[in-house]
mmCIF file of all heavy atoms in Angstrom:
data_model
loop_
_atom_site.group_PDB
_atom_site.id
_atom_site.type_symbol
_atom_site.label_atom_id
_atom_site.label_comp_id
_atom_site.label_asym_id
_atom_site.label_seq_id
_atom_site.Cartn_x
_atom_site.Cartn_y
_atom_site.Cartn_z
ATOM 1 N N GLN Z 10 -3.393 -13.545 17.530
ATOM 2 C CA GLN Z 10 -3.037 -13.487 16.111
ATOM 3 C C GLN Z 10 -3.728 -12.309 15.421
ATOM 4 O O GLN Z 10 -4.893 -12.023 15.653
ATOM 5 C CB GLN Z 10 -3.430 -14.783 15.413
ATOM 6 C CG GLN Z 10 -2.904 -14.877 13.977
ATOM 7 C CD GLN Z 10 -3.232 -16.209 13.333
ATOM 8 O OE1 GLN Z 10 -4.308 -16.388 12.759
ATOM 9 N NE2 GLN Z 10 -2.310 -17.144 13.440
ATOM 10 N N ALA Z 11 -2.960 -11.651 14.571
ATOM 11 C CA ALA Z 11 -3.493 -10.560 13.750
ATOM 12 C C ALA Z 11 -3.055 -10.788 12.309
ATOM 13 O O ALA Z 11 -1.938 -11.233 12.049
ATOM 14 C CB ALA Z 11 -2.990 -9.211 14.246
ATOM 15 N N THR Z 12 -3.941 -10.474 11.388
ATOM 16 C CA THR Z 12 -3.636 -10.569 9.957
ATOM 17 C C THR Z 12 -4.042 -9.272 9.289
ATOM 18 O O THR Z 12 -5.166 -8.793 9.469
ATOM 19 C CB THR Z 12 -4.388 -11.735 9.295
ATOM 20 O OG1 THR Z 12 -3.962 -12.960 9.866
ATOM 21 C CG2 THR Z 12 -4.136 -11.763 7.786
ATOM 22 N N LEU Z 13 -3.130 -8.695 8.536
ATOM 23 C CA LEU Z 13 -3.434 -7.524 7.721
ATOM 24 C C LEU Z 13 -3.401 -7.980 6.270
ATOM 25 O O LEU Z 13 -2.476 -8.687 5.863
ATOM 26 C CB LEU Z 13 -2.402 -6.422 7.967
ATOM 27 C CG LEU Z 13 -2.768 -5.014 7.498
ATOM 28 C CD1 LEU Z 13 -4.001 -4.504 8.229
ATOM 29 C CD2 LEU Z 13 -1.604 -4.067 7.725
ATOM 30 N N PHE Z 14 -4.399 -7.589 5.482
ATOM 31 C CA PHE Z 14 -4.488 -8.085 4.115
ATOM 32 C C PHE Z 14 -4.930 -7.004 3.150
ATOM 33 O O PHE Z 14 -5.578 -6.029 3.530
ATOM 34 C CB PHE Z 14 -5.445 -9.281 4.033
ATOM 35 C CG PHE Z 14 -6.870 -8.962 4.385
ATOM 36 C CD1 PHE Z 14 -7.756 -8.453 3.446
ATOM 37 C CD2 PHE Z 14 -7.335 -9.171 5.672
ATOM 38 C CE1 PHE Z 14 -9.075 -8.150 3.769
ATOM 39 C CE2 PHE Z 14 -8.655 -8.870 6.020
ATOM 40 C CZ PHE Z 14 -9.518 -8.363 5.065
ATOM 41 N N ILE Z 15 -4.557 -7.200 1.878
ATOM 42 C CA ILE Z 15 -5.044 -6.370 0.780
ATOM 43 C C ILE Z 15 -5.579 -7.318 -0.299
ATOM 44 O O ILE Z 15 -4.840 -8.183 -0.785
ATOM 45 C CB ILE Z 15 -3.932 -5.485 0.185
ATOM 46 C CG1 ILE Z 15 -3.422 -4.494 1.235
ATOM 47 C CG2 ILE Z 15 -4.443 -4.734 -1.041
ATOM 48 C CD1 ILE Z 15 -2.287 -3.606 0.740
ATOM 49 N N PRO Z 16 -6.861 -7.206 -0.663
ATOM 50 C CA PRO Z 16 -7.425 -8.086 -1.690
ATOM 51 C C PRO Z 16 -6.695 -7.942 -3.028
ATOM 52 O O PRO Z 16 -6.281 -6.836 -3.414
ATOM 53 C CB PRO Z 16 -8.879 -7.614 -1.807
ATOM 54 C CG PRO Z 16 -9.168 -6.956 -0.502
ATOM 55 C CD PRO Z 16 -7.882 -6.306 -0.089
ATOM 56 N N THR Z 17 -6.528 -9.055 -3.719
ATOM 57 C CA THR Z 17 -5.894 -9.066 -5.037
ATOM 58 C C THR Z 17 -6.759 -9.872 -6.004
ATOM 59 O O THR Z 17 -7.523 -10.750 -5.583
ATOM 60 C CB THR Z 17 -4.486 -9.684 -4.976
ATOM 61 O OG1 THR Z 17 -4.580 -11.007 -4.417
ATOM 62 C CG2 THR Z 17 -3.553 -8.845 -4.117
ATOM 63 N N ALA Z 18 -6.618 -9.580 -7.285
ATOM 64 C CA ALA Z 18 -7.425 -10.280 -8.288
ATOM 65 C C ALA Z 18 -7.003 -11.730 -8.449
ATOM 66 O O ALA Z 18 -7.805 -12.581 -8.836
ATOM 67 C CB ALA Z 18 -7.328 -9.551 -9.627
ATOM 68 N N ALA Z 19 -5.737 -12.035 -8.176
ATOM 69 C CA ALA Z 19 -5.227 -13.400 -8.309
ATOM 70 C C ALA Z 19 -4.237 -13.666 -7.187
ATOM 71 O O ALA Z 19 -3.751 -12.746 -6.527
ATOM 72 C CB ALA Z 19 -4.550 -13.585 -9.673
ATOM 73 N N GLU Z 20 -3.925 -14.932 -6.988
ATOM 74 C CA GLU Z 20 -2.991 -15.291 -5.918
ATOM 75 C C GLU Z 20 -1.594 -14.771 -6.238
ATOM 76 O O GLU Z 20 -1.124 -14.848 -7.370
ATOM 77 C CB GLU Z 20 -2.953 -16.814 -5.757
ATOM 78 C CG GLU Z 20 -2.085 -17.284 -4.600
ATOM 79 C CD GLU Z 20 -2.178 -18.775 -4.385
ATOM 80 O OE1 GLU Z 20 -3.313 -19.287 -4.275
ATOM 81 O OE2 GLU Z 20 -1.126 -19.435 -4.342
ATOM 82 N N ILE Z 21 -0.922 -14.229 -5.237
ATOM 83 C CA ILE Z 21 0.428 -13.688 -5.419
ATOM 84 C C ILE Z 21 1.467 -14.696 -4.956
ATOM 85 O O ILE Z 21 1.162 -15.660 -4.243
ATOM 86 C CB ILE Z 21 0.604 -12.368 -4.641
ATOM 87 C CG1 ILE Z 21 0.533 -12.649 -3.128
ATOM 88 C CG2 ILE Z 21 -0.428 -11.342 -5.043
ATOM 89 C CD1 ILE Z 21 1.148 -11.561 -2.284
ATOM 90 N N ARG Z 22 2.706 -14.470 -5.350
ATOM 91 C CA ARG Z 22 3.817 -15.290 -4.861
ATOM 92 C C ARG Z 22 4.317 -14.723 -3.538
ATOM 93 O O ARG Z 22 4.326 -13.508 -3.344
ATOM 94 C CB ARG Z 22 4.968 -15.316 -5.865
ATOM 95 C CG ARG Z 22 4.619 -15.945 -7.204
ATOM 96 C CD ARG Z 22 5.869 -16.168 -8.060
ATOM 97 N NE ARG Z 22 6.674 -14.967 -8.169
ATOM 98 C CZ ARG Z 22 6.463 -13.986 -9.038
ATOM 99 N NH1 ARG Z 22 5.431 -14.063 -9.876
ATOM 100 N NH2 ARG Z 22 7.252 -12.924 -9.086
ATOM 101 N N PRO Z 23 4.764 -15.580 -2.609
ATOM 102 C CA PRO Z 23 5.276 -15.094 -1.323
ATOM 103 C C PRO Z 23 6.529 -14.238 -1.522
ATOM 104 O O PRO Z 23 7.327 -14.474 -2.419
ATOM 105 C CB PRO Z 23 5.627 -16.389 -0.560
ATOM 106 C CG PRO Z 23 4.876 -17.469 -1.260
ATOM 107 C CD PRO Z 23 4.780 -17.052 -2.694
ATOM 108 N N LEU Z 24 6.685 -13.245 -0.668
ATOM 109 C CA LEU Z 24 7.876 -12.410 -0.666
ATOM 110 C C LEU Z 24 8.028 -11.796 0.721
ATOM 111 O O LEU Z 24 7.178 -11.024 1.165
ATOM 112 C CB LEU Z 24 7.788 -11.297 -1.724
ATOM 113 C CG LEU Z 24 8.996 -10.348 -1.771
ATOM 114 C CD1 LEU Z 24 10.256 -11.095 -2.194
ATOM 115 C CD2 LEU Z 24 8.729 -9.186 -2.731
ATOM 116 N N GLY Z 25 9.130 -12.137 1.408
ATOM 117 C CA GLY Z 25 9.336 -11.634 2.760
ATOM 118 C C GLY Z 25 8.225 -12.110 3.680
ATOM 119 O O GLY Z 25 7.886 -13.296 3.714
ATOM 120 N N ARG Z 26 7.615 -11.173 4.399
ATOM 121 C CA ARG Z 26 6.505 -11.544 5.284
ATOM 122 C C ARG Z 26 5.181 -11.668 4.542
ATOM 123 O O ARG Z 26 4.196 -12.170 5.099
ATOM 124 C CB ARG Z 26 6.350 -10.498 6.393
ATOM 125 C CG ARG Z 26 7.505 -10.422 7.373
ATOM 126 C CD ARG Z 26 7.133 -9.525 8.567
ATOM 127 N NE ARG Z 26 6.840 -8.158 8.150
ATOM 128 C CZ ARG Z 26 6.276 -7.253 8.961
ATOM 129 N NH1 ARG Z 26 5.926 -7.582 10.199
ATOM 130 N NH2 ARG Z 26 6.046 -6.009 8.534
ATOM 131 N N VAL Z 27 5.150 -11.200 3.302
ATOM 132 C CA VAL Z 27 3.898 -11.184 2.544
ATOM 133 C C VAL Z 27 3.623 -12.566 1.960
ATOM 134 O O VAL Z 27 4.458 -13.152 1.269
ATOM 135 C CB VAL Z 27 3.957 -10.137 1.420
ATOM 136 C CG1 VAL Z 27 2.640 -10.150 0.629
ATOM 137 C CG2 VAL Z 27 4.217 -8.754 2.004
ATOM 138 N N GLU Z 28 2.439 -13.108 2.259
ATOM 139 C CA GLU Z 28 2.033 -14.432 1.799
ATOM 140 C C GLU Z 28 0.682 -14.353 1.093
ATOM 141 O O GLU Z 28 -0.119 -13.458 1.385
ATOM 142 C CB GLU Z 28 1.897 -15.384 3.003
ATOM 143 C CG GLU Z 28 3.166 -15.613 3.802
ATOM 144 C CD GLU Z 28 4.080 -16.635 3.137
ATOM 145 O OE1 GLU Z 28 3.613 -17.305 2.196
ATOM 146 O OE2 GLU Z 28 5.239 -16.761 3.578
ATOM 147 N N PRO Z 29 0.427 -15.272 0.162
ATOM 148 C CA PRO Z 29 -0.922 -15.344 -0.402
ATOM 149 C C PRO Z 29 -1.889 -15.851 0.662
ATOM 150 O O PRO Z 29 -1.523 -16.650 1.528
ATOM 151 C CB PRO Z 29 -0.772 -16.345 -1.555
ATOM 152 C CG PRO Z 29 0.392 -17.199 -1.159
ATOM 153 C CD PRO Z 29 1.327 -16.301 -0.394
ATOM 154 N N ALA Z 30 -3.126 -15.395 0.616
ATOM 155 C CA ALA Z 30 -4.110 -15.806 1.617
ATOM 156 C C ALA Z 30 -5.506 -15.783 1.016
ATOM 157 O O ALA Z 30 -5.745 -15.107 0.008
ATOM 158 C CB ALA Z 30 -4.051 -14.886 2.841
ATOM 159 N N ILE Z 31 -6.381 -16.530 1.639
ATOM 160 C CA ILE Z 31 -7.804 -16.467 1.323
ATOM 161 C C ILE Z 31 -8.522 -15.936 2.558
ATOM 162 O O ILE Z 31 -8.514 -16.567 3.617
ATOM 163 C CB ILE Z 31 -8.377 -17.845 0.946
ATOM 164 C CG1 ILE Z 31 -7.655 -18.413 -0.283
ATOM 165 C CG2 ILE Z 31 -9.878 -17.736 0.679
ATOM 166 C CD1 ILE Z 31 -7.864 -17.626 -1.554
ATOM 167 N N VAL Z 32 -9.094 -14.753 2.415
ATOM 168 C CA VAL Z 32 -9.911 -14.212 3.504
ATOM 169 C C VAL Z 32 -11.262 -14.904 3.407
ATOM 170 O O VAL Z 32 -11.944 -14.800 2.387
ATOM 171 C CB VAL Z 32 -10.062 -12.689 3.375
ATOM 172 C CG1 VAL Z 32 -10.884 -12.140 4.547
ATOM 173 C CG2 VAL Z 32 -8.697 -12.018 3.310
ATOM 174 N N PRO Z 33 -11.654 -15.638 4.444
ATOM 175 C CA PRO Z 33 -12.846 -16.489 4.309
ATOM 176 C C PRO Z 33 -14.136 -15.695 4.161
ATOM 177 O O PRO Z 33 -14.243 -14.543 4.602
ATOM 178 C CB PRO Z 33 -12.842 -17.307 5.605
ATOM 179 C CG PRO Z 33 -12.050 -16.494 6.572
ATOM 180 C CD PRO Z 33 -11.013 -15.783 5.752
ATOM 181 N N ALA Z 34 -15.103 -16.338 3.539
ATOM 182 C CA ALA Z 34 -16.442 -15.746 3.452
ATOM 183 C C ALA Z 34 -17.009 -15.608 4.859
ATOM 184 O O ALA Z 34 -16.661 -16.358 5.774
ATOM 185 C CB ALA Z 34 -17.345 -16.629 2.601
ATOM 186 N N ALA Z 35 -17.889 -14.640 5.035
ATOM 187 C CA ALA Z 35 -18.459 -14.418 6.366
ATOM 188 C C ALA Z 35 -19.734 -13.617 6.276
ATOM 189 O O ALA Z 35 -19.955 -12.864 5.325
ATOM 190 C CB ALA Z 35 -17.455 -13.687 7.258
ATOM 191 N N GLU Z 36 -20.578 -13.810 7.275
ATOM 192 C CA GLU Z 36 -21.738 -12.965 7.493
ATOM 193 C C GLU Z 36 -21.364 -12.007 8.612
ATOM 194 O O GLU Z 36 -20.914 -12.430 9.687
ATOM 195 C CB GLU Z 36 -22.948 -13.810 7.897
ATOM 196 C CG GLU Z 36 -24.229 -13.030 8.055
ATOM 197 C CD GLU Z 36 -25.035 -12.957 6.771
ATOM 198 O OE1 GLU Z 36 -24.648 -13.605 5.785
ATOM 199 O OE2 GLU Z 36 -26.049 -12.242 6.768
ATOM 200 N N LEU Z 37 -21.525 -10.701 8.383
ATOM 201 C CA LEU Z 37 -20.982 -9.714 9.300
ATOM 202 C C LEU Z 37 -22.007 -8.664 9.680
ATOM 203 O O LEU Z 37 -22.825 -8.255 8.854
ATOM 204 C CB LEU Z 37 -19.780 -9.007 8.647
ATOM 205 C CG LEU Z 37 -18.623 -9.893 8.170
ATOM 206 C CD1 LEU Z 37 -17.678 -9.074 7.295
ATOM 207 C CD2 LEU Z 37 -17.872 -10.498 9.346
ATOM 208 N N ALA Z 38 -21.949 -8.249 10.930
ATOM 209 C CA ALA Z 38 -22.612 -7.017 11.353
ATOM 210 C C ALA Z 38 -21.564 -5.921 11.262
ATOM 211 O O ALA Z 38 -20.450 -6.070 11.753
ATOM 212 C CB ALA Z 38 -23.134 -7.145 12.774
ATOM 213 N N VAL Z 39 -21.922 -4.803 10.621
ATOM 214 C CA VAL Z 39 -20.925 -3.793 10.250
ATOM 215 C C VAL Z 39 -21.327 -2.430 10.791
ATOM 216 O O VAL Z 39 -22.486 -2.009 10.681
ATOM 217 C CB VAL Z 39 -20.788 -3.707 8.708
ATOM 218 C CG1 VAL Z 39 -19.716 -2.686 8.323
ATOM 219 C CG2 VAL Z 39 -20.472 -5.080 8.123
ATOM 220 N N ILE Z 40 -20.337 -1.737 11.366
ATOM 221 C CA ILE Z 40 -20.529 -0.361 11.794
ATOM 222 C C ILE Z 40 -19.384 0.481 11.245
ATOM 223 O O ILE Z 40 -18.252 -0.006 11.152
ATOM 224 C CB ILE Z 40 -20.614 -0.259 13.337
ATOM 225 C CG1 ILE Z 40 -21.134 1.121 13.767
ATOM 226 C CG2 ILE Z 40 -19.283 -0.567 13.993
ATOM 227 C CD1 ILE Z 40 -21.480 1.196 15.253
ATOM 228 N N MET Z 41 -19.675 1.702 10.863
ATOM 229 C CA MET Z 41 -18.660 2.600 10.315
ATOM 230 C C MET Z 41 -18.131 3.507 11.423
ATOM 231 O O MET Z 41 -18.909 4.129 12.155
ATOM 232 C CB MET Z 41 -19.250 3.457 9.200
ATOM 233 C CG MET Z 41 -18.280 4.499 8.644
ATOM 234 S SD MET Z 41 -16.986 3.764 7.625
ATOM 235 C CE MET Z 41 -17.962 3.379 6.160
ATOM 236 N N HIS Z 42 -16.796 3.571 11.531
ATOM 237 C CA HIS Z 42 -16.174 4.482 12.484
ATOM 238 C C HIS Z 42 -15.483 5.601 11.715
ATOM 239 O O HIS Z 42 -14.536 5.348 10.969
ATOM 240 C CB HIS Z 42 -15.155 3.758 13.356
ATOM 241 C CG HIS Z 42 -14.332 4.704 14.191
ATOM 242 N ND1 HIS Z 42 -14.838 5.367 15.285
ATOM 243 C CD2 HIS Z 42 -13.041 5.115 14.078
ATOM 244 C CE1 HIS Z 42 -13.911 6.132 15.805
ATOM 245 N NE2 HIS Z 42 -12.807 6.008 15.095
ATOM 246 N N PRO Z 43 -15.917 6.853 11.912
ATOM 247 C CA PRO Z 43 -15.229 7.966 11.264
ATOM 248 C C PRO Z 43 -14.115 8.513 12.144
ATOM 249 O O PRO Z 43 -14.242 8.573 13.370
ATOM 250 C CB PRO Z 43 -16.350 9.009 11.111
ATOM 251 C CG PRO Z 43 -17.243 8.754 12.288
ATOM 252 C CD PRO Z 43 -17.151 7.282 12.587
ATOM 253 N N GLY Z 44 -13.020 8.911 11.509
ATOM 254 C CA GLY Z 44 -11.976 9.610 12.243
ATOM 255 C C GLY Z 44 -10.891 8.724 12.801
ATOM 256 O O GLY Z 44 -10.678 7.585 12.377
ATOM 257 N N SER Z 45 -10.182 9.265 13.787
ATOM 258 C CA SER Z 45 -8.998 8.641 14.371
ATOM 259 C C SER Z 45 -9.335 7.309 15.039
ATOM 260 O O SER Z 45 -10.417 7.149 15.620
ATOM 261 C CB SER Z 45 -8.384 9.585 15.404
ATOM 262 O OG SER Z 45 -7.460 8.904 16.227
ATOM 263 N N PRO Z 46 -8.397 6.356 15.021
ATOM 264 C CA PRO Z 46 -8.615 5.097 15.732
ATOM 265 C C PRO Z 46 -8.610 5.249 17.240
ATOM 266 O O PRO Z 46 -8.898 4.290 17.957
ATOM 267 C CB PRO Z 46 -7.445 4.220 15.250
ATOM 268 C CG PRO Z 46 -6.409 5.157 14.751
ATOM 269 C CD PRO Z 46 -7.155 6.335 14.214
ATOM 270 N N ALA Z 47 -8.298 6.440 17.750
ATOM 271 C CA ALA Z 47 -8.279 6.651 19.197
ATOM 272 C C ALA Z 47 -9.640 6.357 19.824
ATOM 273 O O ALA Z 47 -9.724 5.925 20.977
ATOM 274 C CB ALA Z 47 -7.846 8.073 19.516
ATOM 275 N N ASP Z 48 -10.729 6.605 19.072
ATOM 276 C CA ASP Z 48 -12.081 6.370 19.589
ATOM 277 C C ASP Z 48 -12.704 5.090 19.033
ATOM 278 O O ASP Z 48 -13.916 4.904 19.112
ATOM 279 C CB ASP Z 48 -12.989 7.548 19.223
ATOM 280 C CG ASP Z 48 -12.629 8.804 19.993
ATOM 281 O OD1 ASP Z 48 -12.143 8.666 21.130
ATOM 282 O OD2 ASP Z 48 -12.825 9.900 19.463
#
């Protein structure tokens, strides 16, 4: 499963494949990747 999302200030109405969602809270280790996704 893959989910692509864009944060919004309020919940949106569904349209086509686009659905409202809640991206859950999380504790994350984060690294920055510069440049092309090839690497």
Side-chain angles (χ1 to χ4, degrees):
Q10 188 176 87
T12 297
L13 196 62
F14 63 85
I15 297 178
T17 56
E20 184 174 308
I21 67 160
R22 297 190 309 277
L24 179 65
R26 294 190 299 168
V27 179
E28 299 280 348
I31 300 295
V32 182
E36 184 91 6
L37 303 168
V39 182
I40 193 169
M41 176 73 74
H42 170 73
S45 165
D48 290 330

